[in-house]
Amino acid sequence: MERTEREQTSDSNKALRTLRTAMMAGAVAIALYALQFSAVSQKTAVASVGLMVAGAFLLLGGVLGFIFGIPRTLQQESGPIKTSDNQGAGYLANTNLEQISDWLTKMLVGVGLTQLTAMPSHLRAVTSYIAEGIGGGRDASIFALSVLLYFSIIGFLFGYLWTRLFLAGAFRQADQTALGTLSERMERANRDIEEIKKQTKLDAEAQNLVDRQLNPSFELPPAPQPELDEAVAAASPEAKAKIFYQTWKVRGENWRNNKQLMEKTIPIFRALVKSDPDGRYHMNHGQLGFALKDKVTPEWENALTELSCAIDIRGGNKEEGWRYYEFNRAICRINLDEDFRSNQPSALSVRKAIVADLKEAVAHDFTDLISANENIQAWMQLNHVSMADITA
């Protein structure tokens, strides 16, 4: 029966604990060796030198074990890592450390094999040098050699085993994390691209219906209002702005001389109004109100409603181009006044509302427009309203 990965890891951890115990035993042996000296200062010196030497060879052995134990990704055999959509991403793990490890391993083995005959003399020289620091003499040389071999081997085994156990997993986790991040970025980018494509298609469809509305033909008649509403609502803010200014231009250029063409802008303005349920853009309502007022057969009531809505949304902002609302609303109110159509003075409430709109128009230098409008002049004469009354 195959052993589980958890069982194998548990055994490996036991091996590491055994090696740590061996390190502690070696340190105790050094301390016991130092106790043979009578002077406290000499005991301290021997113990310190012995522990430092042991630590140095332990570290040296650990570094060698680390170099020999570095795992290889075998990426040249397995090819580049692929993303989750099975498309080659050209992603390769950085193997500089593995290559250095491979090069150092081969170099150390090669140098070691060529220097086998000289190894004993080098070893004697090192142990003699260490022995001087731990009391000198034959016993010191033997103890120094034991410390050298003991801690070098333990360090090598510990470094090799730790590297094999934990470094491979760390490399794997790092690569998977990097690959996961790359995959997530690619997925987000793909989603963004799809959203852009989808929105571009919706914008094109809305623009196509607007063009059909303004320039109908036998093959492509104007779209029904619900279809136009849906297409404009799905368009992006940039596309809606383009549609608005295109339609505004057609209305502004044709409201006097080509009312049939001007009336074709009404469904588009209605669609723009419907696409703004929060009522953020007063110009949609304002332009719709103008178009309804200027039809061959004006829709005074609807025009009044749209202009009032535009004024409410606009608030106190009365910059150039937006201050025509009150002037045109006054015209709508005059034409809706039953008393005026009966050649009778208007009711007080109606009179006040019309005068208020005319005052707003005069305040913005619309005096000439008021003077040139026959309906306004006839209403003012019938209600005994002078220019002085609306300029006061």
Side-chain angles (χ1 to χ4, degrees):
M1 183 175 180
E2 294 184 0
R3 303 179 65 193
T4 64
E5 183 177 353
R6 180 176 295 180
E7 291 174 343
Q8 293 174 352
T9 302
S10 178
D11 290 345
S12 300
N13 288 331
K14 290 179 181 178
L16 289 177
R17 286 196 295 270
T18 301
L19 290 174
R20 284 196 293 268
T21 302
M23 294 178 199
M24 296 300 298
V28 170
I30 294 173
L32 292 175
Y33 177 81
L35 291 177
Q36 66 177 307
F37 298 96
S38 56
V40 175
S41 60
Q42 194 173 8
K43 291 179 181 179
T44 304
V46 170
S48 300
V49 172
L51 290 174
M52 289 301 298
V53 170
F57 283 105
L58 183 67
L59 181 61
L60 178 61
V63 170
L64 291 176
F66 174 81
I67 293 173
F68 278 81
I70 291 178
R72 300 185 61 185
T73 59
L74 299 179
Q75 65 176 13
Q76 292 181 349
E77 292 82 351
S78 61
I81 300 174
K82 297 180 180 295
T83 57
S84 58
D85 58 358
N86 293 324
Q87 299 295 323
Y91 172 79
L92 292 175
N94 190 317
T95 59
N96 292 340
L97 185 60
E98 299 169 24
Q99 294 172 7
I100 293 172
S101 168
D102 188 53
W103 176 71
L104 285 175
T105 301
K106 294 176 180 178
M107 183 186 71
L108 290 172
V109 172
V111 172
L113 291 175
T114 58
Q115 297 295 320
L116 280 176
T117 56
M119 191 69 68
S121 59
H122 293 313
L123 196 58
R124 281 194 298 271
V126 172
T127 54
S128 297
Y129 182 76
I130 297 173
E132 294 178 1
I134 56 175
R138 179 176 177 79
D139 292 341
S141 297
I142 295 174
F143 189 77
L145 178 61
S146 300
V147 169
L148 186 155
L149 295 176
Y150 185 85
F151 282 96
S152 296
I153 294 172
I154 290 178
F156 178 86
L157 293 175
F158 191 91
Y160 181 84
L161 187 57
W162 181 89
T163 303
R164 296 291 292 177
L165 283 177
F166 300 108
L167 193 62
F171 281 173
R172 188 181 303 110
Q173 183 177 2
D175 290 342
Q176 289 175 349
T177 300
L179 182 59
T181 302
L182 178 63
S183 299
E184 291 173 1
R185 290 179 179 176
M186 293 183 67
E187 289 176 3
R188 285 197 298 268
N190 289 333
R191 286 197 299 268
D192 291 342
I193 291 172
E194 290 301 320
E195 287 296 326
I196 292 173
K197 289 181 179 178
K198 181 180 178 181
Q199 190 60 62
T200 301
K201 183 179 179 180
L202 293 174
D203 291 348
E205 291 175 355
Q207 185 63 56
N208 180 53
L209 293 182
V210 168
D211 292 339
R212 283 173 54 186
Q213 176 65 32
L214 297 177
N215 302 286
S217 64
F218 179 77
E219 296 83 3
L220 294 173
Q225 185 71 55
E227 184 178 351
L228 184 61
D229 291 346
E230 183 178 356
V232 172
S236 65
E238 294 78 13
K240 290 178 184 177
K242 180 181 177 182
I243 290 171
F244 172 81
Y245 287 110
Q246 176 187 359
T247 311
W248 185 5
K249 182 178 180 181
V250 172
R251 189 207 65 79
E253 292 177 350
N254 296 280
W255 71 275
R256 286 190 180 92
N257 303 319
N258 192 349
K259 290 185 179 293
Q260 288 79 12
L261 177 57
M262 187 277 298
E263 290 180 10
K264 296 182 186 300
T265 66
I266 293 176
I268 302 174
F269 286 127
R270 289 191 188 278
L272 288 168
V273 167
K274 194 170 183 179
S275 71
D276 179 30
D278 296 331
R280 293 181 295 171
Y281 305 109
H282 64 81
M283 290 189 291
N284 292 334
H285 294 274
Q287 291 299 310
L288 177 57
F290 294 158
L292 292 170
K293 176 187 76 72
D294 295 326
K295 288 179 62 178
V296 175
T297 303
E299 297 182 24
W300 299 114
E301 188 69 42
N302 291 332
L304 176 64
T305 300
E306 294 300 330
L307 290 170
S308 297
C309 186
I311 292 170
D312 290 340
I313 297 173
R314 181 204 64 190
N317 193 342
K318 303 170 185 176
E319 296 180 4
E320 180 69 32
W322 298 347
R323 57 196 186 188
Y324 287 92
Y325 296 160
E326 285 84 359
F327 172 76
N328 283 277
R329 186 169 67 172
I331 296 175
C332 291
R333 282 175 166 159
I334 290 172
N335 283 277
L336 286 169
D337 185 11
E338 294 289 345
D339 293 328
F340 174 68
R341 288 202 294 265
S342 301
N343 201 30
Q344 297 292 326
S346 301
L348 181 60
S349 59
V350 175
R351 184 179 185 275
K352 285 183 177 180
I354 295 173
V355 169
D357 282 343
L358 293 177
K359 283 186 175 183
E360 193 67 43
V362 168
H364 292 89
D365 299 327
F366 283 9
T367 304
D368 293 341
L369 292 176
I370 293 174
S371 301
N373 190 281
E374 295 180 359
N375 277 352
I376 293 178
Q377 290 300 310
W379 181 86
M380 290 175 63
Q381 184 177 0
L382 183 62
N383 286 272
H384 305 291
V385 176
S386 66
M387 291 299 296
D389 293 329
I390 61 177
T391 56

